[in-house]
Amino acid sequence: MFIILMGPQGSGKGTQAERLLPQFHLESIATGELFRNAVAAGTPLGLRAKELMDRGELVPDDVTIALVEDRLEDQDARRAAGEDVRGALFDGFPRTQAQAEALDHLLARRGGKVDRVILIDVDRDVLVERVAGRRICPNCEAVYHVTHRPPRIEGICDVCGAELEQRPDDVKALERRLDAYYAYTAPIAAFYEQRGILARIDGSKPIDEVTASIQAALGGIRERDASGQPA
Ligand code: AMP
């Protein structure tokens, strides 16, 4: 089973992915995370990606698609070796129409397809407010929000007592990422909507409600899977 989790930066995709992965026995293929790993490892790909990521721009399609293909080949190899590999949850991919089409080909070659696309929708203003209020502990990396998750003492980390910081480039980088999202990624929702596999979820609701809505949208698939019918 292959699921795509779509949504703008800050919509809570990462949190929801963490909850869904164990429940649906899926593996995460999160391109942003793969790029960050490549940056940390200092690979040629990482060096190329870093500059673009820092600017909030997209990494070129050919590079991104090759990275995803690599992950799918890794799954093929493990499946061939007898491991129980049931599919993937794509997080942050596809982000362009070309990536969406490439993913169709990659899955078709494996006899698979995109089973469901979950779009976590949140208004742009809400996303900017979420990020503008974010405070990070530079010492232990605990994350707070001035209104949604305030520390007990204003400006001080509950865990280690260090002074909290706001990342100055957070809001500027977010604006650029949102520009890229609305220009290239949001339009591909229509591509999946035409196929009847898109579920729009209101991401402004509390986290548990969002999880429940996603589970409801995926429920039919899981039942079909369990009965052995193709999803
Ligand atoms: P994310 O963690 O998904 O927000 O991704 C962080 C950054 O990695 C993005 O701002 C892009 O620069 C890059 N990136 C991640 N996924 C993709 C993708 N599918 N296509 C192009 N660039 C991507």
Side-chain angles (χ1 to χ4, degrees):
M1 173 161 82
F2 294 97
I3 294 172
I4 296 171
L5 198 54
M6 274 181 70
Q9 176 93 8
S11 59
K13 261 185 302 135
T15 306
Q16 297 299 335
E18 265 173 40
R19 293 175 169 209
L20 296 169
L21 292 169
Q23 195 182 348
F24 289 88
H25 304 286
L26 295 174
E27 293 178 5
S28 161
I29 299 185
T31 41
E33 193 184 315
L34 294 173
F35 285 133
R36 277 188 291 279
N37 291 344
V39 170
T43 64
L45 168 72
L47 295 177
R48 197 169 158 202
K50 185 176 185 319
E51 223 178 288
L52 295 163
M53 291 169 76
D54 285 348
R55 291 206 299 262
E57 289 173 25
L58 295 182
V59 176
D61 284 336
D62 57 338
V63 178
T64 309
I65 292 163
L67 196 70
V68 170
E69 185 166 18
D70 192 57
R71 298 313 307 155
L72 290 172
E73 281 170 0
D74 176 67
Q75 283 201 334
D76 294 342
R78 284 184 289 123
R79 201 177 282 115
E83 201 179 308
D84 180 19
V85 181
R86 305 213 193 152
L89 178 81
F90 296 98
D91 173 353
F93 179 88
R95 259 176 159 97
T96 64
Q97 182 68 29
Q99 292 179 14
E101 287 169 15
L103 179 61
D104 279 347
H105 289 126
L106 288 175
L107 296 183
R109 244 188 269 155
R110 293 167 168 80
K113 63 177 168 46
V114 177
D115 294 293
R116 183 76 94 227
V117 180
I118 303 291
L119 170 60
I120 306 183
D121 233 346
V122 184
D123 281 350
R124 187 169 179 141
D125 296 351
V126 175
L127 295 169
V128 173
E129 191 267 344
R130 280 184 187 175
V131 169
R134 192 182 290 164
R135 299 289 179 272
I136 316 269
C137 174
N139 184 42
C140 73
E141 290 178 4
V143 180
Y144 301 87
H145 191 280
V146 287
T147 44
H148 309 307
R149 196 161 181 253
R152 283 193 298 272
I153 304 167
E154 197 187 320
I156 302 295
C157 179
D158 289 348
V159 182
C160 72
E163 203 167 316
L164 300 178
E165 287 179 355
Q166 180 178 24
R167 290 207 193 116
D169 54 328
D170 268 6
V171 175
K172 259 189 284 162
L174 173 72
E175 294 280 9
R176 280 195 296 269
R177 292 199 168 97
L178 291 178
D179 288 344
Y181 176 81
Y182 290 107
Y184 304 111
T185 309
I188 62 177
F191 176 71
Y192 294 117
E193 197 156 36
Q194 278 163 12
R195 281 194 220 165
I197 56 171
L198 182 81
R200 276 179 207 275
I201 307 288
D202 180 357
S204 65
K205 295 269 167 59
I207 293 175
D208 287 345
E209 267 182 56
V210 175
T211 306
S213 302
I214 296 175
Q215 283 165 338
L218 295 178
I221 294 181
R222 204 155 48 126
E223 278 152 29
R224 280 201 299 269
D225 264 4
S227 69
Q229 298 298 311

